Amino acid sequence: MSEREEGQLFDEVTIEVQAGAGGNGATAFRREKFVPRGGPSGGSGGRGGDVIVAVAPRLNTLVGFRRSKHFEAGRGAHGSGKDQNGAHGEDVIVRVPPGTIVRDADTREVLGDLIEPAQQMIVAQGGRGGRGNAAFANSTHRAPHFSEKGEKGQQRRLRLELKLIADIGIIGKPNAGKSTFLASVTAARPKIADYPFTTLTPNLGVAEIDERAFVLADIPGLIEGAHEGAGLGARFLRHIERTRLLVHLLDGSEENPLDAFDAINHELAEFSPALATKPQVVGFNKMDVPDAQANLPKVRRELAKREIEVFPISAATGEGVRELLRRAVQFLNTLPAPAVMSEEEMMPVFRAEPNENAFAISREDETRKRGQVIHIYRVRGKKVERIIAMTNWEQDEGAARAHRVLQAMGVNDALRAAGIQEGDTVQIGDTELEWSEGVNR
């Protein structure tokens, strides 16, 4: 993969996360020398690990997801005899840069906007541990011979989108000198060369002027049509949205720097009207070149008509750079903090079920079995699917309990009302059951 291709891919990425399954509960009984009829002692399984997305302040790109796009938390340990419960599964932490927006990849809904250094969110919850037979013992059933299987962990696809968090965004056409400017005022060392789109991923640096520190982002070069995606522009424009101030660098050696200035501002306005209103400080770069010196008076006159101040600089020699930064800091001190998505704009990661006991039944298909037409009924519902998935069908008592629970929930009566007949198939989650009136009463 070329460097250009890499730059296109990793300010947005889709990942898959799988929370850990819960451990199985144990079926066991005490076997002690002087207790011939020991009671149930099967411990419960441990809860599965969660998948957590957390901010890592030192990261500023999503390039680390180039090879790692699947994250799976640990399974809970199984319960065992002597009332020993299984350990919880290990959580998995997915580290992202500040400014990462987390979306559900399938619905496109925003789940979180991660900005603060210590911010984190659970995006997939581990499954419950199955209960051991000791948990089912009561005054009427002293020796249950069944236990539960662990619940599956949640699985989902996430879309990560990075919007850099910086006080100042450095914008301009390719070769305006943005990377050179950033390198001259910060400790950042971006790749610099003399051809368009040298910078294919944004670079961050911290500068200080008059004891005031601030973060700058070198936004890759913009061209006409950027708001429509030309030259990766739409994706790079997104990084400017969180910045509070723009330093607009012009290549003073160009034949007509004003055309470049107007073209970039047109792209900002087309992408987002809010971007067009962000305050700008204009740096007229390459003053170490004679052509730039000749162009400066005209550019100053024209931008003065628009009440825009121009700072002549040379990023290569450092000329005028401190004056430009000092003016930028004056602006920053008057500007509000960057906007963050409100909770109203985000969907909850885990939506509350209005009625966990609710279920729905549909007849989906039919087939022939031993010359008889067999209908397939699917039962959907959070609780009913969880019960069936956690039932150990190899244990007769466990299967009998599941049937009792379905009867108590009203599932059996609802299936009868839907027209189910002897021998028809019932699908609940990944489990298929054969309907028999003798079993389901």
Side-chain angles (χ1 to χ4, degrees), residues 65-79:
F65 294 96
R66 176 172 46 194
R67 295 182 180 86
S68 298
K69 294 185 179 181
H70 184 83
F71 299 86
E72 185 171 353
R75 174 166 193 162
H78 300 320

Side-chain angles (χ1 to χ4, degrees), residues 171-173 222 237 246 248 250 258-273 275-280 282 303 306 308:
I171 62 171
K173 293 186 72 174
L222 300 175
L237 281 164
L246 301 178
H248 193 152
L250 298 179
L258 285 171
D259 287 347
F261 179 82
D262 291 333
I264 295 299
N265 280 291
H266 173 75
E267 295 305 321
L268 297 182
E270 289 295 313
F271 181 77
S272 166
L275 283 183
T277 63
K278 283 187 181 291
Q280 294 187 18
V282 175
L303 291 184
R306 308 182 202 181
I308 297 174

Side-chain angles (χ1 to χ4, degrees), residues 13-342:
V13 67
T14 298
I15 64 174
E16 293 184 0
V17 296
Q18 173 70 65
N24 297 335
T27 301
F29 293 87
R30 287 194 291 273
R31 293 291 182 262
E32 300 172 22
K33 184 175 181 180
F34 299 107
V35 186
R37 293 186 179 182
S41 64
S44 298
R47 178 184 57 80
D50 298 328
V51 180
I52 301 168
V53 176
V55 172
R58 294 190 178 186
L59 295 179
N60 60 14
T61 76
L62 298 174
V63 73
F65 294 96
R66 176 172 46 194
R67 295 182 180 86
S68 298
K69 294 185 179 181
H70 184 83
F71 299 86
E72 185 171 353
R75 174 166 193 162
H78 300 320
S80 57
K82 299 183 180 180
D83 296 308
Q84 292 184 353
N85 296 330
H88 294 324
E90 186 175 356
D91 295 336
V92 163
I93 298 179
V94 181
R95 302 188 188 280
V96 298
T100 299
I101 294 173
V102 182
R103 294 182 184 271
D104 184 294
D106 297 315
T107 67
R108 300 294 298 171
E109 294 168 336
V110 176
L111 304 178
D113 191 6
L114 303 180
I115 292 179
E116 301 299 330
Q119 197 172 356
Q120 63 180 35
M121 61 186 295
I122 297 174
V123 293
Q125 290 180 330
R128 305 181 188 188
R131 288 174 288 180
N133 68 332
F136 293 98
N138 55 45
S139 59
T140 59
H141 196 182
R142 297 179 182 277
H145 285 71
F146 68 93
S147 54
E148 289 179 324
K149 295 194 295 185
E151 182 185 20
K152 288 183 178 179
Q154 291 183 318
Q155 182 177 15
R156 70 194 314 171
R157 295 172 65 246
L158 302 175
R159 186 73 174 168
L160 306 180
E161 299 176 0
L162 177 60
K163 290 184 179 182
L164 291 177
I165 300 177
D167 298 302
I168 298 173
I170 310 169
I171 62 171
K173 293 186 72 174
N175 292 344
K178 298 180 302 301
S179 295
T180 304
F181 177 80
L182 183 70
S184 71
V185 299
T186 75
R189 291 293 176 262
K191 297 176 183 178
I192 301 169
D194 190 22
Y195 56 87
F197 297 106
T198 301
T199 310
L200 290 175
T201 56
N203 292 298
L204 287 178
V206 178
E208 184 176 329
I209 190 80
D210 299 334
E211 298 184 351
R212 168 73 152 86
F214 49 94
V215 179
L216 298 96
D218 163 22
I219 308 300
L222 300 175
I223 61 174
E224 292 184 48
H227 70 280
E228 297 175 339
L232 314 184
R235 296 174 69 172
F236 292 148
L237 281 164
R238 184 176 66 243
H239 291 299
I240 307 173
E241 289 185 296
R242 289 199 205 270
T243 60
R244 296 192 287 156
L245 173 71
L246 301 178
V247 168
H248 193 152
L249 289 189
L250 298 179
D251 181 349
S253 66
E254 279 193 351
E255 185 175 348
N256 194 338
L258 285 171
D259 287 347
F261 179 82
D262 291 333
I264 295 299
N265 280 291
H266 173 75
E267 295 305 321
L268 297 182
E270 289 295 313
F271 181 77
S272 166
L275 283 183
T277 63
K278 283 187 181 291
Q280 294 187 18
V281 175
V282 175
F284 194 76
N285 195 20
K286 303 188 180 179
M287 284 299 292
D288 53 312
V289 178
D291 288 344
Q293 298 170 11
N295 287 331
L296 177 61
K298 177 183 177 182
V299 171
R300 261 187 164 159
R301 283 196 307 272
E302 292 301 318
L303 291 184
K305 295 176 183 177
R306 308 182 202 181
E307 298 182 348
I308 297 174
E309 190 174 4
V310 177
F311 290 82
I313 69 167
S314 170
T317 67
E319 175 190 349
V321 169
R322 291 187 63 82
E323 289 73 15
L324 173 61
L325 290 180
R326 188 168 283 113
R327 180 59 174 150
V329 168
Q330 290 174 353
F331 262 121
L332 282 180
N333 290 338
T334 66
L335 298 176
V340 180
M341 282 191 177
S342 66

Side-chain angles (χ1 to χ4, degrees), residues 354-375:
N355 181 2
E356 192 180 58
N357 292 329
F359 61 87
I361 295 174
S362 60
R363 194 169 81 176
E364 297 189 341
D365 202 356
E366 61 181 40
T367 185
R368 286 192 174 273
K369 187 175 182 182
R370 298 186 293 272
Q372 179 183 359
V373 175
I374 302 297
H375 297 287

